[in-house]
Amino acid sequence: MFLSKPFFDFSQKINYKTEILAGLTVAMTMMPESLSFAILAGFPPLAGLYAAFIMGLVTAIFGGRPGLISGGAGATVIVLIALMNSHGIEYVFAAIALAGVLQISVGLFKLGKFIRLVPQPVMYGFVNGLAVIIFVAQLEQFKTVVNGQTTWLAGETLYIMAGLVALTIAIIVFLPRFTKAVPPSLAAIVVVYLIVLGFGIETKTVSDIASVSGGFPPFHIPDINWTLETLKIIFPYALIMASVGLTEGLLTLNLVDEITASKGNSNRECLAQGSANILNGFFFGMGGCPMIAQTLVNLSAGARARLSAIVASLTILMIILFGAPVIGLVPMAALTGVMIMVAIGTFEWASFRIFNKMPKQDVFVGILVALITIVLHNLALAVLIGVIISALVFAWESAKRIRAKKYVDEKGTKHYEIYGPLFFGSVAAFHEKFDVANDPDDVIIDFKDCKVTDMSAIDALNKLTERYKKAGKKLHLQHLSNDCRTLLKNAAEVIDVNIVEDPVYYVASNNAH
């Protein structure tokens, strides 16, 4: 399980300064997002920060790869809103813990590898859709509530907000041209913070969202009836949350693999994420998963080890315990500017450059996944639909590849040499290749360049055999691969085909007598 690989790679050279500064930057960007989603879902604000601390620390130590940042993510919390409204927060904590159990099960059965089945166009759509969501979410900071009505900022308040956001973006863009000693995102937050504080500028701050002051996460057993009826209520929500969390987490892990040119452990990430969510359920956290935006902030700051994520989670805990008065004064404009730059960096601009070079079906899948991600905010559904459509397109294209070369030998036996895969999608075309009525008494089907892959293919062979049998003719199958023979033998009770055993040839050696 966790101990299959060491927690830390001590052979890796760690830049402690970079890791610590990156961790501080991540903590600054994670707090407002965690607070916002906690309030949106109806949690106490501190539940969002507790989730950021618990998820961040557990996955930093036990997770599938360095550099990955986890916290109280909106993708997983949004699916719990309906349960919160119908049954209350205690049922939600129970669902979070159950989701953790399901995620651990995925890791234990080593099912995390199936993320490899996600095609590149789906990845493009997922990432681009997520970038748009991150950007659009920042526009909420340009709104205010007046007499219970949410309206856009106007006048001087708008100019101040826009100016501070623009300053933040400018610092992030231009600072690396002069020095890389300090992460530009952290430098931008500090500079804007000091300007607002020094000049007494009135603008929205973190404390305007919610209080970030509290104690250590308290142990808490969900106050529910532990019965089968309760399980029926929470299980669907737990299943969706687990699926969304794992989908977003494993896709983020793949993205980090590409950026860092290294390999993560998807099953270990499932185990760590599940353990963290169980702790969330019993320590008043709203649950979560890896966060792509904060992960990209971490990587852009130069972090490549686990230390930065540990620093980020411990920083959030220290803020909860001691630093609330200071952090509460951080301008939201600075954090908004950082997240806008994250959105720009998240977007796969390369997808536009290769747009006219991709197959039309891949372009369609990428756009569809992006739209579903943006409109429904359901990452798991978007990826699932993308994978299904890609699989169907692949099956359709593969079905068109089956061909048959036909000839009659000197003995009067007709040969069919089959090329391409024989599976559920190609069985109709396969049947059309044969002329049972006009074929001679002996027919041989050669599968040297064909693979029998599934039960539909086996059933097709059975039906073809029956057709020749009713016509009083004999059908032989040749050059079936070993795994194809196994499939046919395992289905012996279902079908009856005449397999011709190919001769076995022995290679003579120098020691032969």
Side-chain angles (χ1 to χ4, degrees):
M1 287 179 27
F2 289 139
L3 297 177
S4 58
K5 288 187 179 181
F7 296 155
F8 298 98
D9 182 4
F10 291 102
S11 63
Q12 180 184 14
K13 186 177 180 181
I14 299 177
N15 186 326
Y16 289 97
K17 177 183 175 183
T18 298
E19 295 291 321
I20 292 172
L21 291 177
L24 294 173
T25 307
V26 167
M28 294 298 104
T29 61
M30 191 184 294
M31 280 193 310
E33 187 168 339
S34 298
L35 287 169
S36 297
F37 281 116
I39 295 170
L40 174 66
F43 284 94
L46 276 176
L49 296 184
Y50 288 152
F53 162 63
I54 295 170
M55 293 295 305
L57 186 62
V58 173
T59 57
I61 298 174
F62 300 106
R65 63 156 304 111
L68 201 65
I69 301 294
S70 296
T76 55
V77 175
I78 287 174
V79 303
L80 299 173
I81 293 177
L83 181 61
M84 174 76 79
N85 293 335
S86 60
H87 289 85
I89 194 169
E90 298 297 332
Y91 278 77
V92 171
F93 285 134
I96 293 170
L98 180 57
V101 173
L102 296 175
Q103 290 172 330
I104 287 179
S105 300
V106 171
L108 288 175
F109 289 104
K110 301 186 184 302
L111 302 178
K113 60 187 176 183
F114 287 106
I115 196 65
R116 300 172 192 165
L117 298 177
V118 178
Q120 191 62 42
V122 176
M123 282 289 292
Y124 280 146
F126 164 77
V127 171
N128 290 346
L130 202 55
V132 173
I133 289 175
I134 294 171
F135 179 82
V136 172
Q138 306 318 305
L139 299 181
E140 293 298 315
Q141 302 305 327
F142 289 87
K143 295 179 180 179
T144 187
V145 179
V146 179
N147 297 326
Q149 297 283 334
T150 300
T151 60
W152 291 95
L153 297 177
E156 183 180 350
T157 307
L158 174 62
Y159 301 144
I160 291 174
M161 184 72 178
L164 293 175
V165 169
L167 175 61
T168 303
I169 293 173
I171 293 172
I172 294 173
V173 171
F174 294 107
L175 182 62
R177 301 183 183 183
F178 302 98
T179 179
K180 295 183 179 180
V182 180
S185 297
L186 180 60
I189 293 172
V190 172
V191 168
V192 173
Y193 177 88
L194 293 176
I195 288 175
V196 169
L197 197 63
F199 289 94
I201 299 174
E202 290 189 13
T203 186
K204 189 189 298 185
T205 63
V206 171
S207 61
D208 292 325
I209 298 179
S211 171
V212 296
S213 178
F216 194 83
F219 178 73
H220 156 263
I221 298 176
D223 185 15
I224 61 174
N225 294 320
W226 297 89
T227 63
L228 183 59
E229 289 302 315
T230 300
L231 180 62
K232 290 179 181 178
I233 294 171
I234 66 173
F235 183 79
Y237 295 95
L239 181 61
I240 296 173
M241 178 183 174
S243 302
V244 171
L246 290 179
T247 301
E248 183 169 359
L250 295 179
L251 287 176
T252 304
L253 185 142
N254 265 14
L255 188 63
V256 178
D257 286 351
E258 292 179 9
I259 293 173
T260 61
S262 58
K263 182 69 176 173
N265 187 322
S266 56
N267 292 314
R268 182 166 158 176
E269 182 60 34
C270 295
L271 292 168
Q273 190 178 149
S275 301
N277 274 319
I278 291 175
L279 288 176
N280 268 284
F282 290 98
F283 282 90
F284 220 77
M286 69 178 186
C289 65
M291 305 172 74
I292 190 169
Q294 281 68 28
T295 297
L296 291 171
V297 168
N298 190 43
L299 296 178
S300 66
R304 293 295 182 272
R306 296 179 182 272
L307 182 60
S308 59
I310 295 174
V311 169
S313 60
L314 293 178
T315 298
I316 289 174
L317 178 62
M318 292 300 103
I319 290 170
I320 294 171
L321 298 178
F322 311 110
V326 175
I327 298 303
L329 298 176
V330 172
M332 287 302 302
L335 302 178
T336 300
V338 169
M339 296 307 293
I340 288 175
M341 290 304 298
V342 167
I344 294 172
T346 301
F347 199 91
E348 282 282 2
W349 301 101
S351 59
F352 286 130
R353 292 199 297 271
I354 62 174
F355 192 81
N356 59 345
K357 300 177 183 177
M358 296 171 63
K360 292 180 180 179
Q361 58 267 26
D362 287 348
V363 173
F364 171 75
V365 168
I367 293 175
L368 180 64
V369 171
L371 289 176
I372 294 173
T373 303
I374 294 168
V375 175
L376 300 182
H377 286 213
N378 192 328
L379 307 181
L381 179 63
V383 172
L384 179 62
I385 291 176
V387 170
I388 290 174
I389 293 177
S390 297
L392 291 175
V393 169
F394 174 78
W396 177 257
E397 293 297 321
S398 298
K400 295 189 295 185
R401 292 186 187 135
I402 194 159
R403 307 183 310 282
K405 179 182 177 182
K406 311 168 189 178
Y407 65 91
V408 179
D409 64 16
E410 64 277 4
K411 296 179 181 180
T413 300
K414 187 168 184 179
H415 295 253
Y416 288 87
E417 293 181 356
I418 306 300
Y419 299 86
L422 181 57
F423 69 110
F424 69 90
S426 60
V427 292
F430 174 76
H431 279 295
E432 293 172 359
K433 308 294 181 187
F434 300 92
D435 186 4
V436 177
N438 298 315
D439 279 348
D441 291 340
D442 259 357
V443 176
I444 295 176
I445 305 178
D446 193 332
F447 288 92
K448 182 172 62 176
D449 295 303
C450 175
K451 185 175 179 63
V452 179
T453 59
D454 61 7
M455 193 62 200
S456 297
I458 296 172
D459 182 59
L461 293 178
N462 181 46
K463 289 178 180 176
L464 188 63
T465 304
E466 290 296 324
R467 287 170 61 193
Y468 277 101
K469 186 177 180 180
K470 288 179 180 178
K473 301 172 184 180
K474 192 172 253 186
L475 179 64
H476 310 273
L477 309 181
Q478 282 187 338
H479 294 120
L480 284 166
S481 63
N482 289 332
D483 53 345
C484 292
R485 291 172 184 267
T486 301
L487 275 175
L488 291 169
K489 288 176 182 177
N490 289 341
E493 296 180 1
V494 182
I495 67 169
D496 180 23
V497 294
N498 181 21
I499 302 175
V500 177
E501 292 289 341
D502 297 319
V504 178
Y505 299 97
Y506 297 95
V507 179
S509 67
N510 294 331
N511 297 326
H513 297 291

